[in-house]
Amino acid sequence: MARKNAAVWQGPGTRRRGRGVYRLLGTGLLMALAGCAVGPRGQVPTMASPSTYNAHRVDLSPGQQKIQWTRQQARSWWLLFHSQQLNGYIRKAMQANPDLQAAQAALARQQSLLVASQGGLYPQVAANAGISRERALRTGTDGGQRYRIPGNLYSLFLGTLDIRYNPDVFGRQKDLIHAARARVAVTTAHLHQSEVFLAAAVSRAIIRAAAARAQWHSARQIAAADGHLLKLLQQEYQLGYQNLQSVEQQAAMTAAARARIAPLEAEQAAARHALAALIGQTPNTPLPMPTLKDLHLPAQLPTIIPSALAENRPDIQAATAEIKVAAAQADVATANLYPQFNISADIGKAAMTGALFFNPVSTLWSLGAGLAAPIYQGGSLHAQRRAALDQYRLVSDQYRATVLDAFRQVADALRTLQSADTAFIQQKRAQQASARALQLAEARYRDGATDYATVLNAEIAYQQDSVAAINGRSQRYLDSVALFVALGDGWQPDHRDSNAPSPSPTTAVEHTAGASA
């Protein structure tokens, strides 16, 4: 009897211990599944920064520009050109350019999607209310096989409060939030890059218009000089002191000089049209353009040291954020392999009269919980996870390619800047020498000490050297812009335009001793 009682007494205790074991196993299983849901960590690939951009040192000492090595550069680099018109056009472009506005709208959209994804972490509550007037049908004694009797009219008042909650056991919703936050970072970097390219496009349009205008003035002066010399030769020919061949050669030179004027006018117009489109205006908008004399070549070129380049390049920032997006998507694909839980609760009122609606007897409610687990999907979920991991590896490789390309662009920009600076010095000297040679040739020709062929050769050389000097001067401006773009500088909306370039108050400019290009 005691043994029987002992068995009766031990039974519930054994069941309790068994339930505890089951709970422990269930908890361990959930923890194990959650541990299996770990995807890539979204770490940026480690890449060593070179000590210099170029294998051979870039030296700008012969020219007017000097490299100023910094760790973080002031964003409004166009202030270094000391042009109020350039500053104003860039400010207008930042406010009215449709492509930039589209990039801003894209960022706003991603920010809204981020807020929407965060709502999945919280319970969803919805309210329903309604009132209806109805009439039911009553069936006859035969169950309504032959006829039905209309019932009485009645009203139905209904009001419910629905609550739905999906516990994020395996972190799927948090991974979606991480992906949305990373997409915001990607879009922000793209917006920054759009600002960089827009400022550079405005600067290039103005520089090219100024260069075309300088060439246009030079072409007009050369055409006027050619026309004057042609009249002189024609007078000498009529007097018998010059042959017809010289006259025809000079006429051809004059016509060629005049022919160069019209294309330069068209080039100026094209630059103005491009600028109008960049600032959101139609091509017929009158736009006063600065000359090359109004643009000052930056004497100091703030250049980011190699170890800090990744912090300033928007494309590298975008590539970094893409890695985080891919990692979060891989985590979501992993979480999709495991069960999804949901909890629901409803409470409300249903009554046929308004007074009964507020009576406790009209209360109705429900409470439930569910689990949905994938059992067999034909291998699609695992394939989707493998595709997400492949995408993660893909963007990691693209990141490395982006970083290498960034260093290449800066190296090319520095080397091009050096060659343009050296070339312009020689072009300027050649123009000055050819101008003196032409003056001497014309003076000797008027004195009868030389023939016309000498004047003709001197004139051709001067024309070529003048055009080369103008192109060389404008090319230095364009190469300076290319360097700033390669360094990744962009727009700073709260920065006040001024004649004197100055770094942002929040931007520390550090000189690095011994740095080289």
Side-chain angles (χ1 to χ4, degrees):
M1 183 68 179
R3 185 176 302 170
K4 181 178 180 181
N5 292 337
V8 172
W9 179 80
Q10 291 177 359
T14 304
R15 287 194 295 271
R16 291 191 186 96
R17 286 193 297 272
R19 291 173 184 172
V21 171
Y22 293 149
R23 292 193 187 98
L24 182 60
L25 290 175
T27 303
L29 177 61
L30 290 177
M31 294 178 64
L33 291 175
C36 294
V38 176
R41 298 182 180 274
Q43 296 179 346
V44 178
T46 302
M47 298 188 65
S49 298
S51 57
T52 60
Y53 289 110
N54 289 274
H56 303 285
R57 183 181 179 87
V58 174
D59 187 11
L60 301 180
S61 56
Q64 301 177 6
Q65 295 181 294
K66 307 297 180 184
I67 293 179
Q68 179 186 12
W69 292 104
T70 68
R71 179 167 294 277
Q72 187 175 2
Q73 182 179 346
R75 287 186 176 181
S76 302
W77 48 263
W78 49 88
L79 297 178
L80 298 174
F81 291 100
H82 298 276
S83 173
Q84 288 292 343
Q85 287 181 308
L86 174 61
N87 299 340
Y89 282 133
I90 290 180
R91 184 169 57 250
K92 289 180 181 179
M94 295 298 172
Q95 296 171 353
N97 182 264
D99 293 332
L100 187 62
Q101 290 176 344
Q104 293 169 349
L107 176 59
R109 174 180 178 273
Q110 291 297 336
Q111 290 172 339
S112 299
L113 291 177
L114 171 60
V115 176
S117 65
Q118 292 172 341
L121 291 176
Y122 306 100
Q124 309 297 311
V125 181
N128 299 303
I131 182 172
S132 62
R133 185 72 170 167
E134 302 181 15
R135 169 180 281 177
L137 295 177
R138 295 180 297 168
T139 59
T141 56
D142 57 355
Q145 294 181 1
R146 290 186 299 174
Y147 63 91
R148 296 181 181 181
I149 305 173
N152 297 327
L153 292 172
Y154 68 93
S155 299
L156 181 63
F157 298 87
L158 182 65
T160 60
L161 189 66
D162 303 329
I163 302 175
R164 299 290 184 270
Y165 178 59
N166 299 97
D168 194 22
V169 177
F170 298 105
R172 181 179 183 274
Q173 190 61 40
K174 291 182 180 178
D175 293 332
L176 292 173
I177 295 175
H178 293 161
R181 185 176 291 112
R183 289 191 185 95
V184 171
V186 172
T187 312
T188 302
H190 288 167
L191 174 60
H192 183 192
Q193 191 169 34
S194 298
E195 293 167 347
V196 172
F197 291 162
L198 179 58
V202 172
S203 302
R204 292 190 186 104
I206 290 179
I207 292 171
R208 286 167 180 162
R213 184 176 181 181
Q215 293 180 13
W216 177 76
H217 280 293
S218 177
R220 292 187 63 188
Q221 292 175 357
I222 292 173
D226 286 342
H228 178 72
L229 185 56
L230 176 59
K231 290 181 180 179
L232 179 61
L233 288 176
Q234 289 173 344
Q235 292 174 359
E236 292 181 351
Y237 174 73
Q238 292 175 357
L239 296 175
Y241 297 114
Q242 193 59 259
N243 57 57
L244 183 59
Q245 180 182 357
S246 298
V247 176
E248 294 298 334
Q249 287 179 339
Q250 183 60 35
M253 290 288 298
T254 304
R258 290 172 179 171
R260 284 191 289 268
I261 296 176
L264 294 173
E265 293 175 346
E267 189 172 346
Q268 293 182 69
R272 284 196 303 270
H273 299 164
L275 179 61
L278 291 172
I279 63 176
Q281 301 293 328
T282 55
N284 62 333
T285 305
L287 299 175
M289 305 293 285
T291 64
L292 281 179
K293 293 182 180 180
D294 298 328
L295 298 172
H296 301 274
L297 191 70
Q300 298 291 332
L301 291 172
T303 305
I304 301 170
I305 59 178
S307 60
L309 181 64
E311 301 173 3
N312 291 269
R313 289 269 303 204
D315 55 345
I316 297 180
Q317 297 170 0
T320 302
E322 289 285 3
I323 292 178
K324 296 180 180 179
V325 171
Q329 290 176 338
D331 289 338
V332 171
T334 303
N336 289 336
L337 298 173
Y338 302 108
Q340 305 293 327
F341 300 89
N342 64 83
I343 301 173
S344 62
D346 298 314
I347 185 170
K349 292 278 190 176
M352 299 179 65
T353 63
L356 188 61
F357 184 82
F358 297 98
N359 194 298
V361 299
S362 64
T363 301
L364 49 89
W365 60 270
S366 66
L367 180 65
L371 180 148
I375 297 178
Y376 177 73
Q377 303 292 335
S380 61
L381 295 180
H382 290 278
Q384 291 172 2
R385 183 175 185 271
R386 289 194 300 271
L389 293 175
D390 291 337
Q391 176 67 17
Y392 174 77
R393 287 188 287 268
L394 183 149
V395 296
S396 298
D397 294 336
Q398 289 177 342
Y399 171 85
R400 288 191 289 268
T402 301
V403 173
L404 293 175
D405 191 59
F407 283 109
R408 178 195 63 79
Q409 292 179 11
V410 177
D412 290 346
L414 286 170
R415 187 62 66 186
T416 302
L417 195 67
Q418 180 191 33
S419 63
D421 195 56
T422 303
F424 175 72
I425 294 175
Q426 302 302 324
Q427 290 164 350
K428 191 66 176 178
R429 292 174 181 173
Q431 182 193 26
Q432 294 171 351
S434 61
R436 291 192 298 267
L438 178 59
Q439 292 175 355
L440 292 174
E442 290 176 345
R444 288 172 59 84
Y445 177 75
R446 286 192 297 267
D447 295 339
T450 187
D451 58 359
Y452 171 72
T454 303
V455 178
L456 185 62
N457 292 333
E459 183 182 10
I460 295 174
Y462 174 70
Q463 291 177 357
Q464 294 175 345
D465 293 337
S466 297
V467 172
I470 295 174
N471 290 336
R473 182 179 180 183
S474 62
Q475 189 62 45
R476 292 200 301 169
Y477 290 104
L478 294 174
D479 291 339
S480 298
V481 172
L483 176 61
F484 291 132
V485 173
L487 295 174
D489 261 359
W491 169 250
Q492 189 174 10
D494 57 351
H495 192 92
R496 303 301 180 185
D497 290 342
S498 61
N499 285 330
S502 59
S504 170
T506 60
T507 301
V509 177
E510 301 181 5
H511 298 270
T512 305
S516 63

